[in-house]
Amino acid sequence: MKLHPLTVVYRVGRRAVSLGWGVVVGFAGASSIPFVDRRLVVAALALAVLALVGYEVARYQRFTYALAGTTLELRSGVLSRREREIPIERVQNVDVSRTVGQRVIGLATVRVETAGGGNTEAVLECVSAAAADDLQTELRRLKRAAADAGDIESGDDVRAGGKASATTDATGETSEVVFGLGRRRLLLASALSFDVRLLSVVFVAQPVVQPLLAPLVGDLAGVTTVVALLVAVLTAVGLWLASAARTFARYYGFRLVRAGDDLRYERGLGRRYTGTIPLEKLQTLAVEETALERAFGYASLSVVTAGSVGSDTTGGSAAAVPLATRADVLALARDLEPFADATMERPPTRARTRYAIRYALGVAVLLALTMAVDALLTPVPYAWAPAVLLVLAPIAAHLQWRNVGVALTNDYAVVRRGFWTRRTRVLPHDRVQTTAVSATFFQRRRGLASVAIDTAGGDAVAPDYDAARAREIRDRVVERACAAVGARRGADDSH
Amino acid sequence: MERLHSRVLVQWSAGALVTAAVVAVVAGAITFVDPLSLSLPPIAVAGAVFGVVFVLGVAYAWLRYRSWRYEVRTNTLYIERGVLTRVETIVPYVRVQHVDSQRGPLDRLLGLGTVVVYTAGSRGADVSIPGLAAERATTLQERLRDLAIESEPTDAV
């Protein structure tokens, strides 16, 4: 099969838009050099456009794809040719995205991910929207057929509880809407998505902005401060609105559907994304709560497969639920991976001492810098001001320490950390690839060590546990991992 | 627990030599241009910088060599290394995708080899053991391969 012929138009158009600015600059530059003829510039441009069109036509001619039984075959390349065969069983995610331009002319880009490498393995740019849907469905059907043919797996895939009305789709599987994001919830999600840390930009900008404003608003005492304050507030609101708008556009019309062993999602305002996340390939779950969301009892959930790591096409990890109440998120997470509730174990309090000292040192460095600038280069008003931050060091340390946690159950490791964005990662033992205990020089001085648990869908690090406990956690995870994947259970080789 | 072959010290010291030479040339060039007008002798500065960097490099290589340990256990490969940050990694054989042995020109000259174990993980997906005696690298690669096949994962990912 070939790509859609309009692909040439779309790609040339996109390239032309990005080149447009270059053209403007080129013209402006050329007119400032007296002996360069305008006509020459026009001729060069025309040549460039011709070459671009020629290349895109050749690319379109060369690009073919075919679903042949058990493989997806791709042939492409204008100068260097490439033939690629992807076994359908190995396919992880299939994502369809449609930019505004593509939606106007009815096209879509299909991305097929496997676990290999960091890049997307197959990018079909562009096919018609209908063909994209067909391809997505067909890939799923073939994958199921392939799995059924050599089925030796136990039927543990029937652990979903019917929540919404179940319907039957083209592949003969029942599908149910697991989660939909209504207009109100979307606005709320947008409002809460803000990372409060961005506000620090305002404080950093403040000392720069204030002296700049002084000559503009006059030297009246107080006025400068008021205006500066106003600017700071407006900047903060602007940052917040920008962040909200981004989330709004990203998750507009979000819907999560469960069809058999796959999760399907749809989202996006301008650029529309649809994708499938195969649950059998699920590597980790991550529950994320920003400080704001936590205050209001909300959380988001992402489902990570091996294919979605390192590819930003789906927005890093394939977000499964952008915002729901914490209880709903946990319920859905447990629906996907039935991890038991376990109490989180915190690092020892000497870890907190370490954080406090680290923050205090950070403040000291900042203080030394402002003092040095004050003494050597130019007078800085309130150069001692960073010292006030020292009061915050123990508080910050406590908050950081409080949000770290690790819990081991029979089938899962749960690792939590972060204050501004608290991430709770659920790692099934049978997905663990490697584990490592690491201790920096400073950690060793306090007898602390961090445990890193790596899966094909990202790793989780439990920081600053007692060195012996860290090794215990690691050994337990390895032991469970080996047992879970059915390794030979020989002599206990942990030390 | 096994250690690396001591000849790896020669290899790493050679690396330190190259680094020291580059840093010394840069330092010499800066002294020659003399932006702060300190009028120091470029050759002497370059020599001193070379000496210091080289000695530090060799000391680091020695510490690094001393920190390295590995063990082929029943179900897992255990690796311990690191001077400033100590890292102890465990790779279950069920997770091994493939095993490489690599020998660069300097490796071949010194009769050394590196074994690289690949997993499907995201961070630290490949674990390498450098500075193995050539025949040890070969036997280790074969042993790890056999163990990986023997442990038969249901799905490597």
Side-chain angles (χ1 to χ4, degrees), chain B residues 107-139:
Chain B
D107 281 323
R108 285 202 297 273
L109 206 68
L110 293 165
L112 294 174
T114 300
V115 169
V116 190
V117 180
Y118 293 87
T119 71
S122 54
R123 193 175 75 155
D126 42 338
V127 179
S128 58
I129 309 175
L132 297 164
E135 58 278 15
R136 180 62 189 136
T138 315
T139 54

Side-chain angles (χ1 to χ4, degrees), chain A residues 259-455:
Chain A
D261 283 345
D262 289 339
L263 280 179
R264 288 173 57 89
Y265 66 88
E266 302 170 16
R267 63 176 174 86
L269 178 63
R271 188 169 185 170
R272 193 100 184 118
Y273 293 91
T274 61
T276 54
I277 308 164
L279 287 179
E280 35 156 351
K281 307 275 189 193
L282 192 154
Q283 297 287 331
T284 61
L285 288 176
V287 176
E288 297 186 6
E289 308 149 275
T290 63
L292 261 180
E293 286 169 1
R294 213 157 56 229
F296 290 96
Y298 286 98
S300 68
L301 174 73
S302 17
V303 172
V304 188
T305 64
S308 50
V309 169
S311 69
D312 47 11
T313 51
T314 52
S317 51
V321 174
L323 184 86
T325 57
R326 210 181 132 70
D328 281 354
V329 162
L330 284 179
L332 181 62
R334 293 229 160 83
D335 202 21
L336 301 176
E337 289 288 354
F339 60 98
D341 208 0
T343 44
M344 288 282 185
E345 175 190 337
R346 282 197 191 132
T349 45
R350 59 182 192 276
R352 185 170 51 185
T353 319
R354 181 171 169 249
Y355 297 154
I357 290 171
R358 201 164 57 180
Y359 282 121
L361 283 176
V363 172
V365 168
L366 189 69
L367 187 64
L369 266 175
T370 50
M371 292 300 237
V373 170
D374 183 46
L376 300 173
L377 296 173
T378 162
V380 179
Y382 310 113
W384 47 266
V388 178
L389 289 174
L390 273 179
V391 182
L392 294 179
I395 302 171
H398 178 70
L399 289 176
Q400 186 183 355
W401 172 79
R402 223 172 69 107
N403 283 295
V404 175
V406 72
L408 294 180
T409 70
N410 271 339
D411 301 308
Y412 299 94
V414 183
V415 178
R416 184 180 74 189
R417 70 188 294 191
F419 169 76
W420 296 108
T421 302
R422 187 164 82 179
R423 283 195 183 84
T424 311
R425 286 207 172 77
V426 179
L427 308 126
H429 284 322
D430 58 354
R431 294 302 191 194
V432 171
Q433 295 280 340
T434 61
T435 53
V437 165
S438 69
T440 63
F441 176 72
F442 300 104
Q443 281 180 312
R444 279 200 303 267
R445 274 183 34 161
R446 290 179 188 277
L448 297 171
S450 304
V451 194
I453 305 169
D454 193 21
T455 73

Side-chain angles (χ1 to χ4, degrees), chain A residues 88-423:
Chain A
I88 283 164
E89 266 181 281
R90 291 280 184 264
V91 169
Q92 301 263 347
N93 323 8
V94 183
D95 294 316
V96 178
S97 70
R98 308 183 66 193
T99 62
V100 179
Q102 282 177 322
R103 283 165 76 178
V104 169
I105 50 178
L107 298 179
T109 303
V110 180
R111 290 189 171 82
V112 179
E113 309 261 9
T114 72
N119 287 332
T120 303
E121 275 70 21
V123 182
L124 303 179
E125 191 183 71
C126 317
V127 294
S128 72
D133 278 349
D134 287 351
L135 194 68
Q136 225 175 6
T137 320
E138 189 63 9
L139 272 171
R140 214 164 77 227
R141 197 186 62 77
L142 287 173
K143 216 165 82 180
R144 259 179 79 82
D148 285 346
D151 202 4
I152 32 155
E153 284 169 344
S154 58
D156 68 334
D157 49 6
V158 278
R159 54 189 181 195
K163 266 197 232 156
S165 58
T167 50
T168 309
D169 73 358
T171 53
E173 298 164 327
T174 55
S175 63
E176 46 163 330
V177 177
V178 182
F179 186 81
L181 198 63
R183 194 64 57 85
R184 275 189 56 192
R185 195 43 81 73
L186 173 62
L187 283 171
L188 190 64
S190 310
L192 293 182
S193 68
F194 187 53
D195 189 336
V196 190
R197 267 176 299 181
L198 273 178
L199 283 183
S200 60
V201 172
V202 177
F203 292 108
V204 173
Q206 181 78 2
V208 185
V209 173
Q210 196 153 353
L212 284 177
L213 281 173
L216 292 177
V217 291
D219 227 10
L220 284 168
V223 173
T224 331
T225 323
V226 169
V227 172
L229 210 69
L230 212 67
V231 168
V233 169
L234 283 179
T235 317
V237 171
L239 283 172
W240 177 66
L241 279 177
S243 154
R246 186 168 158 267
T247 312
F248 187 85
R250 201 165 162 184
Y251 289 115
Y252 181 83
F254 181 88
R255 230 161 61 99
L256 187 69
V257 176
R258 183 169 182 156
D261 283 345
D262 289 339
L263 280 179
R264 288 173 57 89
Y265 66 88
E266 302 170 16
R267 63 176 174 86
L269 178 63
R271 188 169 185 170
R272 193 100 184 118
Y273 293 91
T274 61
T276 54
I277 308 164
L279 287 179
E280 35 156 351
K281 307 275 189 193
L282 192 154
Q283 297 287 331
T284 61
L285 288 176
V287 176
E288 297 186 6
E289 308 149 275
T290 63
L292 261 180
E293 286 169 1
R294 213 157 56 229
F296 290 96
Y298 286 98
S300 68
L301 174 73
S302 17
V303 172
V304 188
T305 64
S308 50
V309 169
S311 69
D312 47 11
T313 51
T314 52
S317 51
V321 174
L323 184 86
T325 57
R326 210 181 132 70
D328 281 354
V329 162
L330 284 179
L332 181 62
R334 293 229 160 83
D335 202 21
L336 301 176
E337 289 288 354
F339 60 98
D341 208 0
T343 44
M344 288 282 185
E345 175 190 337
R346 282 197 191 132
T349 45
R350 59 182 192 276
R352 185 170 51 185
T353 319
R354 181 171 169 249
Y355 297 154
I357 290 171
R358 201 164 57 180
Y359 282 121
L361 283 176
V363 172
V365 168
L366 189 69
L367 187 64
L369 266 175
T370 50
M371 292 300 237
V373 170
D374 183 46
L376 300 173
L377 296 173
T378 162
V380 179
Y382 310 113
W384 47 266
V388 178
L389 289 174
L390 273 179
V391 182
L392 294 179
I395 302 171
H398 178 70
L399 289 176
Q400 186 183 355
W401 172 79
R402 223 172 69 107
N403 283 295
V404 175
V406 72
L408 294 180
T409 70
N410 271 339
D411 301 308
Y412 299 94
V414 183
V415 178
R416 184 180 74 189
R417 70 188 294 191
F419 169 76
W420 296 108
T421 302
R422 187 164 82 179
R423 283 195 183 84

Side-chain angles (χ1 to χ4, degrees), chain B residues 28 30-45:
Chain B
I30 290 173
T31 337
F32 185 74
V33 176
D34 205 11
L36 294 175
S37 341
L38 299 171
S39 55
L40 295 167
I43 305 277
V45 168

